[in-house]
Amino acid sequence: MNAQELLNQFIVELKKENRLLIESVKEKDASSRLMEIVQRKEELLRQILSLEKEEVEPYQEELQLIDELTERNKSLAVNNIEFINDIFDAIYAANSPTKYTKDGNITTSKEGFFNKKV
């Protein structure tokens, strides 16, 4: 595959990932499909990284799109994690007053999903 084909395939995988991240809250098999996409993206990224800089430079538009889609997907993933944490906090608040933050620290929270301040 040439540079443009690799970049375009990576963009396709990012778009699939985006759709699955949106659907993952309601679909139980989305996580396994997400893992498959992550593996394909890793392989594509290895191939892209093996290219010379000159081969990739003409495709700035694709690179910009990859950057935007990656940021959007990261944001969706973080929001999904926060949503799931809030659900678990609401269900198991008495048994589990602590939760993990995005950076891996543990925090204590007395605020549940249903009594959050808006």
Side-chain angles (χ1 to χ4, degrees):
M1 262 191 239
N2 67 28
Q4 187 173 20
E5 290 172 336
L6 286 171
L7 293 172
N8 287 334
Q9 186 60 40
F10 195 75
I11 290 168
V12 167
E13 295 300 329
L14 284 168
K15 287 179 179 179
K16 287 179 189 176
E17 181 182 48
N18 182 271
R19 184 180 41 79
L20 281 173
L21 284 168
I22 292 169
E23 296 172 358
S24 66
V25 176
K26 64 181 180 179
E27 287 189 28
K28 62 182 179 182
D29 67 331
S31 61
S32 62
R33 294 187 320 199
L34 275 168
M35 288 306 297
E36 292 170 5
I37 288 173
V38 168
Q39 290 171 346
R40 287 194 302 265
K41 280 177 31 189
E42 286 175 355
E43 178 57 34
L44 287 167
L45 195 54
R46 265 189 234 105
Q47 292 177 33
I48 291 168
L49 291 173
S50 71
L51 298 171
E52 296 296 323
K53 183 179 177 183
E54 296 78 28
E55 293 177 88
V56 180
E57 279 181 341
Y59 307 106
Q60 291 302 314
E61 189 175 309
E62 286 87 350
L63 293 170
Q64 180 64 32
L65 182 57
I66 287 171
D67 189 46
E68 290 170 10
L69 289 170
T70 299
E71 287 303 314
R72 185 184 314 158
N73 290 355
K74 277 196 247 180
S75 178
L76 279 169
V78 167
N79 288 339
N80 286 353
I81 289 169
E82 289 174 358
F83 176 73
I84 291 167
N85 270 336
D86 287 344
I87 295 287
F88 274 96
D89 284 349
I91 295 170
Y92 304 108
N95 298 332
S96 180
T98 60
K99 70 177 185 177
Y100 291 97
T101 61
K102 290 181 263 186
D103 56 357
N105 294 321
I106 298 176
T107 61
T108 303
S109 174
K110 304 265 187 218
E111 190 176 288
F113 180 71
F114 296 107
N115 61 357
K116 273 191 155 186
K117 293 180 183 177
V118 179

